[in-house]
């Protein structure tokens, strides 16, 4: 049963040894803020590092004791979830350059006693990962079972696989890219200009008590548009007006979508530092794992197994960019699995599609079992019942597959809604005339992929799940699997 990790405190560790950055500058001392969930095993072999997106932080799961808010990936981190804290020791840290506990532009520069502001050194995704490496070493971990993240987090996990190929066993990269495109850089630049054009920015030397919130709000509004899909915006807002009284014929808020963007922008200013936005988006711009234009060459050193996930409606990091990663890894003979999530949510699907993500990631990490996804609320019918009884159960319970059982509960066959339709056409009256007796079944403890493959090979749409005494304990359908899997290769 899936559960929660409960209340979680953010911890901090400060490193005195300088961190050499890609720019040639050094950062010393520097602090990493992090949270952990679950327990590290005796061999220290069960650690998974979670990497956050642009506006994320270390609070990936559980409940913050101060705000009461759940972590940004709480739906897939915890007991019984994809990142199962009963089995794994999960680490989530705030990147350097951030503003949620790790050293960034709003941190105090020990040399001056004042916030770094615009004097903070320019950073890259590689610098963020090198900082995380220090944290992992601090925790006494020499090899990670996996690294996982979406969006900018996906860039970090790919970087882990190239900087430290011997340390990472599995890589999970979601809705991301191996090199930022001109369009992505363009959106980042517009956001930065919105901040820097705010007079309050003052060349980056603003007091933390009076940040350029108008510029940051506008930057967030621009960015948030790219996180949504056209379909999601139509469904959520359509052309509905903000004022129920009608059009105002002015330049105040007229549409609900405008109000939503203003809300997103304003709420963002209460939790994020404008200078951090500048530094992190610039790190995104610089990101490029290719060598002399070849992504295959840039990924040639990897040794991990990869799960690459894209989102069908993501136009910020579209599926073709994930497919480029898969192609480059395949050229290098890497072990790679690719899945395209079917979602209406656009880029934000990596945060919202918990059902599909729990299935796909759980299967990649642990070989997901039938008992983890089967429907246990399965009606059955006794073998002596009539076709009329069977059709009534199907209608009342909204099912298309009905296992037929003996008096003791042992399965003896299965009847489908198609069988009922044929019975009406041919005038059959008893279940014995229409049910399939040579029924294919599944075991609760077999891998889901084996059950799915059996259904595909035999062109059947569902398998009753039976225990050791052949009693029905559930049902797994191809439709349910398809909803969870998306398009995987």
């Amino acid at each position: 049963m899936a559960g929660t990790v409960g209340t979680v405190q953010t911890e901090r560790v400060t490193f005195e040894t300088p961190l050499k950055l890609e720019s040639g500058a050094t950062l010393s001392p520097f602090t990493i803020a992090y949270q952990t969930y679950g327990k590290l095993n005796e061999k220290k072999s069960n650690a998974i590092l979670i990497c956050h997106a642009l506006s994320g932080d270390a609070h990936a799961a559980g409940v913050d004791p101060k705000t009461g808010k759940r972590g940004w990936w709480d739906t897939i981190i915890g007991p019984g979830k994809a990142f199962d804290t009963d089995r794994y020791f999960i680490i989530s840290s705030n990147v350097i350059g951030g503003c949620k506990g790790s050293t960034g532009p709003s941190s105090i520069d020990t040399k001056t006693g004042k916030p770094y502001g615009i004097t903070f050194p320019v950073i890259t995704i590689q610098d963020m990962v090198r900082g995380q490496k220090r944290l992992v070493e601090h925790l006494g971990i020499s090899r990670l079972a996996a690294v996982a993240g979406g969006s900018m987090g996906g860039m970090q996990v790919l970087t882990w696989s190239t900087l430290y190929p011997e340390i990472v066993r599995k890589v999970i990269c979601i809705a991301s890219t191996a090199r930022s495109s001109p369009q992505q850089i363009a959106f980042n630049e517009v956001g930065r200009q919105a901040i820097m054009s705010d007079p309050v920015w003052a060349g980056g030397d603003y007091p933390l008590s009076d940040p350029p919130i108008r510029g940051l709000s506008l930057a967030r509004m621009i960015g948030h548009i790219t996180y949504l899909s056209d379909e999601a915006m139509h469904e959520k807002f359509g052309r509905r007006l903000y004022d129920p009284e009608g059009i105002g014929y002015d330049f105040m808020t007229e549409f609900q979508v405008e109000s939503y963007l203003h809300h997103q922008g304003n709420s963002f200013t209460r939790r994020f530092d404008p200078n951090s936005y500048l530094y992190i988006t610039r790190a995104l711009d610089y990101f490029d794992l290719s060598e002399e234009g070849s992504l295959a060459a840039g990924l040639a050193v990897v040794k991990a197994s990869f799960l690459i996930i894209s989102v069908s409606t993501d136009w910020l990091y579209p599926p073709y960019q994930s497919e480029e990663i898969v192609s480059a890894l395949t050229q290098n003979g890497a072990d790679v699995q690719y899945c395209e999530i079917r979602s209406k949510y656009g880029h934000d699907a990596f945060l919202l599609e918990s059902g599909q993500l729990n299935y796909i990631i759980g299967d990649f990490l642990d070989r997901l079992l039938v008992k983890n996804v089967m429907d246990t609320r399965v009606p059955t019918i006794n073998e002596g019942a009539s076709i009329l009884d069977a059709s009534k159960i199907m209608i009342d319970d909204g099912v298309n597959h009905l296992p037929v059982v003996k008096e003791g509960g042992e399965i003896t066959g299965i009847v489908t809604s198609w069988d009922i339709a044929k019975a009406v056409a041919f005038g059959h009256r008893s279940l014995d005339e229409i049910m399939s007796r040579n029924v294919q079944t599944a075991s609760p403890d077999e891998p889901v992929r084996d059950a799915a493959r059996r259904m595909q090979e035999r062109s059947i749409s569902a398998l009753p799940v039976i225990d050791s005494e052949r009693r029905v304990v559930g049902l797994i359908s191809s439709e349910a699997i398809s909803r969870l899997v998306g398009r995987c290769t």
Side-chain angles (χ1 to χ4, degrees):
M1 179 71 73
T4 176
V5 299
T7 302
V8 183
Q9 297 280 355
T10 298
E11 302 179 66
R12 290 172 174 80
V13 58
T14 298
F15 300 95
E16 299 295 335
T17 304
L19 180 68
K20 187 172 182 180
L21 306 176
E22 292 277 306
S23 66
T26 57
L27 193 60
S28 175
F30 71 96
T31 298
I32 297 287
Y34 69 98
Q35 292 185 355
T36 63
Y37 326 104
K39 293 183 179 180
L40 191 61
N41 63 19
E42 193 172 321
K43 295 182 179 179
K44 298 184 177 181
S45 61
N46 67 331
I48 294 178
L49 177 68
I50 302 296
C51 302
H52 68 72
L54 189 159
S55 60
D57 53 29
H59 182 44
V63 177
D64 186 296
K66 293 181 179 178
T67 65
K69 290 183 178 180
R70 294 190 174 274
W72 52 269
W73 241 5
D74 188 68
T75 54
I76 64 173
I77 299 174
K81 300 175 186 177
F83 297 109
D84 190 346
T85 50
D86 287 338
R87 304 186 59 183
Y88 294 105
F89 178 65
I90 310 297
I91 310 160
S92 175
S93 67
N94 185 213
V95 297
I96 59 168
C99 53
K100 291 300 183 71
S102 293
T103 299
S106 59
S107 302
I108 300 298
D109 182 352
T110 56
K111 299 181 182 66
T112 65
K114 298 178 180 179
Y116 279 101
I118 206 68
T119 67
F120 190 76
V122 172
I123 55 170
T124 66
I125 300 295
Q126 284 80 355
D127 295 331
M128 295 175 184
V129 169
R130 289 187 178 97
Q132 292 165 349
K133 172 73 157 35
R134 294 279 190 92
L135 171 64
V136 170
E137 291 172 339
H138 168 76
L139 295 172
I141 298 162
S142 59
R143 195 171 189 212
L144 290 165
V147 288
S151 194
M152 186 183 82
M155 299 179 189
Q156 294 167 62
V157 304
L158 291 175
T159 301
W160 266 96
S161 74
T162 57
L163 283 183
Y164 308 111
E166 303 289 346
I167 293 177
V168 181
R169 286 177 48 215
K170 293 187 175 185
V171 171
I172 302 169
C173 174
I174 309 169
S176 192
T177 183
R179 48 189 169 190
S180 290
S181 70
Q183 177 176 272
Q184 290 153 0
I185 295 170
F187 276 118
N188 290 339
E189 174 62 6
V190 174
R192 286 192 296 269
Q193 287 300 320
I195 292 169
M196 293 188 289
S197 297
D198 187 330
V200 181
W201 184 63
D205 192 26
Y206 54 85
L208 297 181
S209 59
D210 186 24
I213 59 174
R214 292 183 65 183
L216 180 60
S217 176
L218 180 56
R220 180 60 170 180
M221 289 168 67
I222 295 164
H224 202 78
I225 293 169
T226 69
Y227 305 152
L228 306 174
S229 72
D230 183 55
E231 179 184 353
M233 293 180 82
H234 269 290
E235 183 176 298
K236 191 177 183 70
F237 310 109
R239 289 184 53 82
R240 289 187 291 276
L241 296 174
Y242 176 69
D243 188 344
E245 297 298 321
I247 296 175
Y249 295 101
D250 55 30
F251 294 101
M252 302 300 288
T253 301
E254 288 275 36
F255 295 93
Q256 287 187 12
V257 67
E258 294 174 303
S259 174
Y260 171 78
L261 289 175
H262 289 304
H263 168 74
Q264 290 295 327
N266 292 334
S267 62
F268 188 62
T269 64
R270 294 191 287 272
R271 66 180 180 89
F272 213 80
D273 175 55
N275 279 337
S276 276
Y277 195 94
L278 302 182
Y279 278 86
I280 292 175
T281 56
R282 181 54 92 189
L284 295 177
D285 295 347
Y286 289 140
F287 184 66
D288 183 357
L289 290 182
S290 67
E291 288 187 7
E292 297 182 355
S294 170
L295 198 51
L299 296 175
V301 298
V302 304
K303 296 186 177 180
S305 298
F306 289 79
L307 171 61
I308 310 296
I309 302 175
S310 67
V311 179
S312 60
T313 53
D314 187 351
W315 62 280
L316 179 59
Y317 293 99
Y320 83 82
Q321 292 187 320
S322 291
E323 291 165 7
E324 285 180 345
I325 299 170
V326 173
S327 177
L329 291 170
T330 302
Q331 288 180 56
N332 290 316
D335 177 15
V336 57
Q337 177 184 335
Y338 173 59
C339 291
E340 181 183 290
I341 289 177
R342 298 187 184 113
S343 175
K344 64 184 178 183
Y345 294 119
H347 185 62
D348 270 352
F350 86 92
L351 296 170
L352 300 174
E353 291 287 3
S354 57
Q356 295 187 67
L357 289 174
N358 271 304
Y359 175 88
I360 297 168
I361 295 171
D363 185 49
F364 178 69
L365 290 175
D366 300 317
R367 296 278 293 170
L368 204 63
L369 303 179
V370 166
K371 64 184 177 184
N372 300 130
V373 299
M374 70 182 185
D375 186 354
T376 56
R377 302 179 303 277
V378 180
T380 60
I381 190 168
N382 292 328
E383 58 182 346
S386 68
I387 291 175
L388 183 61
D389 293 331
S391 60
K392 189 175 187 304
I393 292 173
M394 285 185 175
I395 292 170
D396 290 345
D397 289 85
V399 297
N400 293 313
H401 303 83
L402 195 59
V404 183
V405 298
K406 296 180 179 179
E407 188 174 337
E410 181 183 347
I411 190 167
T412 185
I414 192 169
V415 63
T416 69
S417 54
W418 175 241
D419 295 326
I420 299 292
K422 288 193 296 183
V424 173
F426 292 101
H428 298 305
R429 294 182 178 275
S430 70
L431 284 182
D432 188 59
E433 294 179 272
I434 63 169
M435 73 176 183
S436 300
R437 289 189 174 275
N438 185 25
V439 58
Q440 293 290 321
T441 61
S443 163
D445 294 312
E446 74 170 300
V448 170
R449 291 198 174 276
D450 291 352
R453 188 177 301 111
R454 199 153 63 252
M455 281 189 272
Q456 185 176 18
E457 290 172 350
R458 291 171 170 79
S459 297
I460 51 181
S461 55
L463 295 176
V465 185
I466 60 172
D467 62 15
S468 59
E469 297 180 358
R470 292 188 58 79
R471 291 175 301 194
V472 177
V473 294
L475 186 126
I476 183 168
S477 70
S478 57
E479 181 183 0
I481 292 173
S482 177
R483 284 198 303 269
L484 290 172
V485 172
R487 182 172 68 87
C488 292
T489 57

